[in-house]
């Protein structure tokens, strides 16, 4: 059939080499391209330095790795005076030249430029919001569209991507399926937090029922809908069909928390495993976290070196210690005893310690940093401080919940074995005044081929904070959403 | 420090083997475990057949692959009469036995059971909503929490996961960074579609301004916010810092479309490449789609064989042809000529054909199926039917847009080279009456180090439909959201 048509096929052309096969600066710096090759660099100028010897040194960056490559532009180039000497930070250029071994220190390879083409200038360089001088993170948040051009936020983007990629790799190597649980939900929050309403009603003049209340039956989904706070209940249904599953997606909290640790929109990872108990869950959490941090150490030494030098000098040693450690398993009840004993010996805590409390950050950090000196999995919490779906232990007063505590941050993972016994689940629903009808589909999972199963949630941004030492969660997500802020 | 504490470490125990290292049914069926080994199967009964010779044959399934494994349970087992003979579809069991080569046909390996432990029964098997008999997809949509237990929806879940995984693998092998663009946005839809409002206001009694309008300055984000229809504008900012980036996340349309092709919530993939033009974009689309479908053919032959047998007999040959084909590049203008010529020769189209129209599905399918017989990249559309951000061509009447059309489905990808010239972009904004202030940050990308760049969007569910032949988009996402439906 291909010969039956009479149109002119579009000629395949390209800007320089075909995008997908062209080399990046990472390739050049890593020695993957032969010295002496003719190369084309496409990227942005990080800095320009002019030598009196008749050269300019351009540091060219394309995002493929932390380091830029140096291009040496001789004054003999036709546009040296008219263009090259006017290049400023983040001007876009295309440099054609020869890859050579560098004589200068600090880099192995550089490019002897034969042509420097200016692709895009920076308007008014003096007022450019991300010029080469140092800017505060507060300022850079106001230019979230430009901040990935800076050293810090470029490094954050690469580490974030590296961790994302490691999440998927870990789970696929272990036979897990990624399940896309819904974002819009008509389920309640099961106490996980305040929710955003999602609607297409005319808010200025919504339809009303006989009582004068808003009539959500006229809304898009035929009832009141919200943004999800967790994919767990949904993914449990897939776990009880396919054994090993996980979610990795955006999650929401409509809480008016203006802190360095809270976002209204963040990404969460929630694995769920069938035929598994709390101990299996703890083993999975330990193996998973170590895999993630080992991946960052292996794959992003360039960015991690930058964080260690400029953001948090301990970030590399912290990850190395984390990966090398064997996580301690500790009962909640024993943790309370240990905290009480510490208090008796003079340790000061702001919040009181007694069996039944939800541990505060100071308690968690004492346990993992001072008492154990390694990550700790705290297990079997009082039922009254935990959610309805967690499995009741035989003692009748604790549930099979766990938190993973890490030195330097405290809680990083929360999880549990789920209550798989319908009668026990129903008792809990009754006890908490939750509607069996509302959870009918979730109860079905216990009526039909139920099995012991367990899972946990890992906040992705907190993982990035732990890896990089960045202090504010708004600086590890591209476009942070917080009270009063959903710009860009 | 570890010796300073006095709590009792929790003993590590496990249900059978440690979850992460235990074998799955896939391992057994693929010959990865030595014949004669003592094995433990944990999964759900697909079917039970009783032989008069004193055996029951249990097909056991754990989601790791399409096929179940057969366990042979002799009548001599202690619970044979009391339990095994009562097992029904989706009862959960743990089988301990010996892996042997199968004498029966249809499978290479089976398990000679020495113990069959019932973990979870199915209540009232006769009214079990996903019992072993055939159910309509309509019925199964009403039990979306149970449908992944069926052959079809288990296969869909594995193919969806396989494609997801291939998306990430492709981009990482090519040096792309995954960027998590925001879900909640205060940007306009740039015409991409109706949006859902996101709010924490009391809808029954919202705050009002002097004019009586809803006062969104009192809302959570301090202004009116919505769910995103595309991450493109946001990811462009990352592209112009890091060169190769992509999004893969949920996207929303508040359109009252009750069709087999529309969802209110769906997943989309949007790569964006710097120093690239429309031709590079087309090359990327071609390489990417082929990679995805080759991955499904390589990695899910079991599920694809099922789809070919029960859902769409052409699905495997369609993908094989797709992967083997060289995509045709065709100008929009030439496509119109070809359609007019076809009409002149007697081809009937419901919708009129003339230069300037947005092609209808019938036109697209004629081009790709009848005229060319291979995938087609249609390029350079009239500017009046395309978005403001697409790059103006030198002819002044077309823009550098492209659609990828595939036999059997029509449009599967839409993309464009983006307008990187500030003056041209501004003219387009003026022409369309769009606010330069509203797009100030997007315009900044053209003021500071702009470069030619391009990208496209691929609807993930449509990709799954194309791969599997499933007819309704509600059946390829775990929990579909459509007008009047956001259950579970």
């Amino acid at each position: 059939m291909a010969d039956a048509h009479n149109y002119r096929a579009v000629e395949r052309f390209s800007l320089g080499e075909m995008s997908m096969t062209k080399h990046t600066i990472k390739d050049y710096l890593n020695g993957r391209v032969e010295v002496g090759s003719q190369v084309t660099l496409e990227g942005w100028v990080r800095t320009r330095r002019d030598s009196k010897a008749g050269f300019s040194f351009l540091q060219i960056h394309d995002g493929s790795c932390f380091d830029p490559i140096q291009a040496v532009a001789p004054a003999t180039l036709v546009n040296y005076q008219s263009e090259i000497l006017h290049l400023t930070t983040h001007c876009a250029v295309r440099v054609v030249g020869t890859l050579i071994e560098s004589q200068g220190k600090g880099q192995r390879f550089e490019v002897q430029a034969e042509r420097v083409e200016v692709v895009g200038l920076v308007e008014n360089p003096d007022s450019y919001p991300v010029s080469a001088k140092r800017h505060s993170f507060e300022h850079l948040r106001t230019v979230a569209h430009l901040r990935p051009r800076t050293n810090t936020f470029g490094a954050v983007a690469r580490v974030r991507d590296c961790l994302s990629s490691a999440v998927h790799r870990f789970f696929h190597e272990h036979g897990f399926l990624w399940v896309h649980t819904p974002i819009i939900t008509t389920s309640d929050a099961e106490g996980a937090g305040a929710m955003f309403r999602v609607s297409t009603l005319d808010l200025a003049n919504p339809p009303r029922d006989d009582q004068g209340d808003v009539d959500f039956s006229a809304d898009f989904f035929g009832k009141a809908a919200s943004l999800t706070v967790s994919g767990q209940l949904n993914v449990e249904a897939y776990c009880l069909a396919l054994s090993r599953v996980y979610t990795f997606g955006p999650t929401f909290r409509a809480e008016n928390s203006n802190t360095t640790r809270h976002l209204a929109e963040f990404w969460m990872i929630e694995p769920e495993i069938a035929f598994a108990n709390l101990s299996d869950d703890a083993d999975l959490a330990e193996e998973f976290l170590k895999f993630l941090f080992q991946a960052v150490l292996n794959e992003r030494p360039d960015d991690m070196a930058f964080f260690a030098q400029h953001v948090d000098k301990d970030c590399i040693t912290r990850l190395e210690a984390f990966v090398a450690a064997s996580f301690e398993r500790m009962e909640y009840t024993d943790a309370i005893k240990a905290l009480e004993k510490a208090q008796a010996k003079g340790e000061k805590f702001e919040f009181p310690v007694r069996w039944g409390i939800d541990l505060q950050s100071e308690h968690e950090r004492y346990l993992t940093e001072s008492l154990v000196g390694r990550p700790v999995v705290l297990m079997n919490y009082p039922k009254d401080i935990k959610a309805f779906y967690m499995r009741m232990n035989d003692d009748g007063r604790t549930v099979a919940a766990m938190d993973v505590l890490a030195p330097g941050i405290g809680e990083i993972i929360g999880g549990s074995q789920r209550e798989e016994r319908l009668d026990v689940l129903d008792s809990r629903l009754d006890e908490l005044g939750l509607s069996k009808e509302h959870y009918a589909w979730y109860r079905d999972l216990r009526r039909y081929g139920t099995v012991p199963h367990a899972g946990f949630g890992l906040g992705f941004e907190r993982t990035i904070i732990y890896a990089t030492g960045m202090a504010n969660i708004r600086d590890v997500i591209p476009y942070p959403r917080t009270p009063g802020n959903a710009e860009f």
Side-chain angles (χ1 to χ4, degrees), chain A:
Chain A
M1 285 182 281
D3 52 351
H5 63 259
N6 73 339
Y7 62 84
R8 171 179 56 86
V10 178
E11 194 188 347
R12 293 198 194 194
F13 64 107
S14 214
L15 291 168
E17 299 165 73
M18 211 284 275
S19 275
M20 288 310 91
T21 56
K22 79 177 179 200
H23 289 293
T24 62
I25 288 171
K26 181 183 180 185
D27 298 327
Y28 297 126
L29 291 178
N30 286 355
R32 286 189 211 142
V33 178
E34 212 178 334
V35 168
S37 301
Q38 181 84 357
V39 301
T40 300
L41 305 176
E42 293 181 320
W44 293 269
V45 173
R46 207 170 249 181
T47 57
R48 188 195 89 234
R49 187 167 58 83
D50 307 317
S51 153
K52 296 224 170 74
F55 293 98
S56 285
F57 300 100
L58 303 174
Q59 300 291 333
I60 314 286
H61 183 252
D62 67 1
S64 60
C65 56
F66 184 83
D67 288 317
I69 193 167
Q70 179 164 286
V72 184
T76 51
L77 295 180
V78 291
N79 61 341
Y80 186 78
Q81 292 292 337
S82 61
E83 292 191 318
I84 294 172
L85 283 181
H86 300 279
L87 288 173
T88 57
T89 297
H90 299 161
C91 285
V93 293
R94 184 176 298 111
V95 176
V96 179
T98 307
L99 186 70
I100 60 174
E101 292 195 54
S102 181
Q103 303 304 309
K105 64 175 190 177
Q107 68 269 331
R108 280 172 63 203
F109 303 102
E110 63 186 25
V111 170
Q112 183 64 44
E114 285 137 32
R115 189 154 56 91
V116 175
E117 193 184 322
V118 177
V119 178
L121 287 170
V122 167
E123 192 182 295
N124 306 321
D126 293 339
S127 60
Y128 178 46
V130 290
S131 62
K133 67 172 185 158
R134 211 179 177 92
H135 300 280
S136 73
F137 289 163
E138 288 74 17
H139 164 70
L140 292 173
R141 260 169 242 146
T142 68
V143 286
H145 61 308
L146 300 175
R147 66 178 182 169
R149 302 164 176 221
T150 65
N151 285 343
T152 304
F153 290 91
V156 168
R158 280 184 298 273
V159 168
R160 189 176 171 108
D161 171 76
C162 170
L163 283 165
S164 302
S165 186
V167 167
H168 289 303
R169 207 162 62 242
F170 175 85
F171 286 125
H172 281 105
E173 286 176 5
H174 290 84
F176 285 67
L177 303 175
W178 187 18
V179 176
H180 294 116
T181 48
I183 308 301
I184 297 172
T185 177
T186 53
S187 286
D188 283 349
E190 19 91 19
M195 297 176 89
F196 288 101
R197 173 76 62 226
V198 173
S199 178
T200 56
L201 295 178
D202 175 5
L203 268 55
N205 190 20
R208 309 253 176 193
D209 62 19
D210 296 346
Q211 318 293 314
D213 294 330
V214 175
D215 180 11
F216 286 108
S217 73
D219 206 348
F220 189 91
F221 296 107
K223 57 169 76 170
S226 310
L227 292 178
T228 185
V229 294
S230 162
Q232 179 204 317
L233 304 193
N234 294 101
V235 91
E236 278 188 55
Y238 272 69
C239 179
L240 292 184
L242 303 163
S243 301
R244 295 181 191 179
V245 293
Y246 69 108
T247 71
F248 184 4
T251 318
F252 304 85
R253 294 283 184 286
E255 277 154 23
N256 195 11
S257 302
N258 262 303
T259 79
T260 59
R261 300 283 300 258
H262 292 88
L263 290 169
E265 172 181 323
F266 59 98
W267 284 61
M268 188 144 73
I269 297 146
E270 298 178 287
E272 191 78 26
I273 46 178
F275 295 95
N277 61 21
L278 190 64
S279 175
D280 297 319
D281 205 30
D283 291 347
L284 176 64
E286 177 169 354
E287 202 181 335
F288 177 56
L289 285 173
K290 288 179 175 177
F291 183 95
L292 295 189
F293 293 135
Q294 189 63 61
V296 174
L297 291 169
N298 291 351
E299 297 165 30
R300 297 262 52 107
D302 55 347
D303 295 313
M304 288 306 295
F306 169 80
F307 288 118
Q309 199 174 349
H310 293 283
V311 173
D312 174 3
K313 67 178 170 44
D314 298 326
C315 65
I316 293 175
T317 49
R318 184 170 59 235
L319 293 192
E320 287 171 343
F322 189 100
V323 167
S326 171
F327 290 17
E328 188 76 25
R329 269 71 174 161
M330 194 191 299
E331 292 279 345
Y332 168 89
T333 299
D334 291 325
I336 293 293
K337 285 181 195 158
L339 291 167
E340 286 171 341
K341 188 169 167 184
Q343 259 183 331
K345 285 186 177 171
E347 186 78 30
K348 297 273 179 257
F349 297 118
E350 189 186 343
F351 293 90
V353 174
R354 56 175 174 72
W355 198 95
I357 63 162
D358 206 358
L359 295 184
Q360 298 294 323
S361 183
E362 58 175 345
H363 306 139
E364 294 174 343
R365 296 189 63 160
Y366 171 79
L367 294 169
T368 184
E369 291 168 15
S370 303
L371 182 66
V372 178
R374 285 177 290 122
V376 172
V377 189
L378 263 192
M379 303 167 98
N380 300 314
Y381 283 73
K383 73 179 170 71
D384 292 337
I385 58 171
K386 291 293 181 180
F388 75 92
Y389 52 73
M390 298 189 180
R391 191 178 198 275
M392 186 67 66
N393 288 323
D394 292 344
D395 62 16
R397 61 180 207 149
T398 64
V399 289
M402 69 166 190
D403 281 353
V404 179
L405 315 179
I409 194 167
E411 185 201 326
I412 187 165
I413 272 181
S416 68
Q417 184 173 344
R418 319 309 187 183
E419 184 53 74
E420 89 281 11
R421 298 161 298 184
L422 184 63
D423 55 341
V424 184
L425 182 67
D426 281 350
S427 299
R428 275 294 270 169
L429 288 171
D430 287 343
E431 195 178 325
L432 297 168
L434 297 169
S435 151
K436 283 210 260 301
E437 191 187 348
H438 182 78
Y439 290 104
W441 69 266
Y442 188 70
R443 293 175 65 250
D444 274 357
L445 304 177
R446 280 72 183 164
R447 295 169 64 201
Y448 304 125
T450 189
V451 305
H453 61 292
F456 61 78
L458 172 66
F460 188 54
E461 284 72 21
R462 292 208 180 168
T463 313
I464 304 169
I465 283 179
Y466 195 70
T468 59
M470 293 291 288
N472 193 320
I473 200 165
R474 297 162 202 223
D475 295 332
V476 299
I477 190 166
Y479 300 94
R481 271 71 179 104
T482 54
N485 178 41
E487 299 305 308
F488 308 103

